[in-house]
Amino acid sequence: MRIKIITDSCCDLPLRYLEAHQDTIEVIGMPIVINGKEYIDDLGKTLSHNDFYNLLREGTMPRTSQINVYRFAEAFTHAISNDYAVVYLGLTSGMSGTYNSACLAKQMVEEEYPDARIEVVDTLAASIGLGAMVVEAVKKIESGIDVTALANWLTDNRLNFNHWFGVDNLDYLKNGGRISSASAVVGNMLNVKPTLIVDHDGKLRSYSNVRGRKKSITFLLSKLDKHLYGKSDSTIILGHGNCAHDAIILEEAIKEKYPHHDLIVSELSMTIASHVGPDMIALAFLGDRREN
């Protein structure tokens, strides 16, 4: 039986990749309210990345909400009606109730279609970390894995998906309740660039601080060097928040050190960027066990 990966817009994968694998991947967009108008995050098709990031830089603070049970049930039903088994990989339960909605939708659909094969995996991942899981899952499907074995592999290896996020502006972390207002003011004055991780509970937390963007990029590269070891076929994903210049610097360094690894460069979509702001730069990859 064919396998369909259903994920959400928090995967932050580029449209070109998703369109190239549309027979295997379906993306459900997160709802976002911007200046009183609701959008569905469709990864830049309706509202371009440039237009969205310009709004952020002008001071707009979007609000995001989780995908409801009905939309999950609709997607699951459509897939199984077309003879797919389903693996859902979405935003970590540590940051959203979306995972629980997917579980409820699975129960609803299985009551109506008792032969349906639906696996809902709590990824404990976010943004390009989730994207890295989707990419590796696609490779497994192309190698011929069955749906149960795929779900088990993803669950067994989810803490080996490393996430490293270098944040440029602390105001968005302050607005999300991650840091205090005083810390944000002082940090911005001192040009502090925090590095964030997704921990073993799937929650975003601060890992370290450096002074200046150049040191932030160097730090991200050092973590790639440390944790990629032994994963010669791992795809590296470089994500950025509308800061192509910084992304190119990091991209060139990665290509020089790891020329045999596939590298995907992606501009972060509206959902994650609403919480971390513009100019974030990040790396995700399958490596050894992530730090906590």
Side-chain angles (χ1 to χ4, degrees):
M1 179 178 284
R2 298 176 300 170
I3 300 174
K4 176 76 75 173
I5 297 171
I6 297 180
T7 186
D8 58 53
S9 53
C10 292
C11 71
D12 282 329
L13 287 169
L15 275 174
R16 63 184 181 277
Y17 177 87
L18 296 168
E19 289 171 350
H21 296 87
Q22 59 186 329
D23 290 339
T24 307
I25 306 171
E26 179 180 345
V27 180
I28 306 176
M30 289 277 194
I32 299 178
V33 176
I34 304 173
N35 293 330
K37 180 179 179 181
E38 183 173 276
Y39 294 83
I40 297 296
D41 186 353
D42 56 8
L43 306 177
K45 287 189 286 187
T46 300
L47 183 63
S48 73
H49 289 312
N50 281 338
D51 288 344
F52 173 71
Y53 280 99
N54 285 339
L55 288 171
L56 291 184
R57 291 188 172 104
E58 291 167 1
T60 298
M61 292 290 178
R63 292 184 293 107
T64 63
S65 56
Q66 68 188 50
I67 299 165
N68 63 36
V69 175
Y70 172 79
R71 291 179 65 206
F72 278 124
E74 186 177 50
F76 293 168
T77 300
H78 183 264
I80 64 174
S81 297
N82 286 279
D83 299 320
Y84 283 98
V86 171
V87 175
Y88 172 68
L89 302 174
L91 181 61
T92 166
S93 65
M95 297 184 200
S96 172
T98 298
Y99 168 74
N100 289 330
S101 294
C103 289
L104 290 172
K106 166 183 160 71
Q107 294 173 10
M108 289 171 54
V109 173
E110 288 178 339
E111 287 176 3
E112 185 172 355
Y113 301 91
D115 294 330
R117 301 184 67 185
I118 303 171
E119 300 283 353
V120 176
V121 177
D122 187 359
T123 64
L124 304 180
S127 187
I128 58 169
L130 170 58
M133 292 188 75
V134 171
V135 169
E136 298 300 332
V138 168
K139 294 180 190 177
K140 292 289 184 182
I141 291 170
E142 291 173 346
S143 73
I145 197 170
D146 68 48
V147 65
T148 303
L150 176 60
N152 290 339
W153 183 86
L154 289 163
T155 301
D156 291 343
N157 286 276
R158 58 189 173 179
L159 294 183
N160 294 329
F161 284 90
N162 282 247
H163 308 51
W164 298 96
F165 305 116
V167 178
D168 187 66
N169 188 306
L170 300 179
D171 289 337
Y172 290 84
L173 296 178
K174 175 198 71 177
N175 292 333
R178 303 289 178 182
I179 61 174
S180 68
S181 296
S183 295
V185 171
V186 173
N188 285 333
M189 288 177 59
L190 296 176
N191 197 27
V192 168
K193 308 297 181 186
T195 299
L196 310 177
I197 62 170
V198 175
D199 66 17
H200 290 185
D201 295 321
K203 297 179 180 179
L204 188 69
R205 74 170 183 84
S206 179
Y207 180 85
S208 70
N209 295 305
V210 296
R211 295 280 294 277
R213 175 47 67 94
K214 184 177 180 180
K215 289 183 179 179
S216 180
I217 291 173
T218 300
F219 184 82
L220 292 177
L221 190 59
S222 74
K223 290 302 182 181
L224 179 65
D225 293 339
K226 180 177 180 180
H227 292 290
L228 186 64
Y229 179 78
K231 300 293 183 181
S232 60
D233 60 345
S234 176
T235 296
I236 302 166
I237 303 184
L238 191 168
H240 69 94
N242 199 235
C243 53
H245 175 73
D246 291 335
I248 288 171
I249 293 172
L250 184 52
E251 178 184 6
E252 290 177 347
I254 293 169
K255 286 181 175 178
E256 182 178 353
K257 297 193 74 171
Y258 301 99
H260 302 299
H261 283 259
D262 290 336
L263 174 63
I264 295 174
V265 179
S266 184
E267 191 168 22
L268 305 185
S269 69
M270 294 193 294
T271 307
I272 296 298
S274 296
H275 296 280
V276 297
D279 301 316
M280 186 176 84
I281 192 158
L283 287 178
F285 51 92
L286 175 62
D288 61 10
R289 192 172 179 85
R290 73 171 72 154
E291 296 186 36
N292 197 38

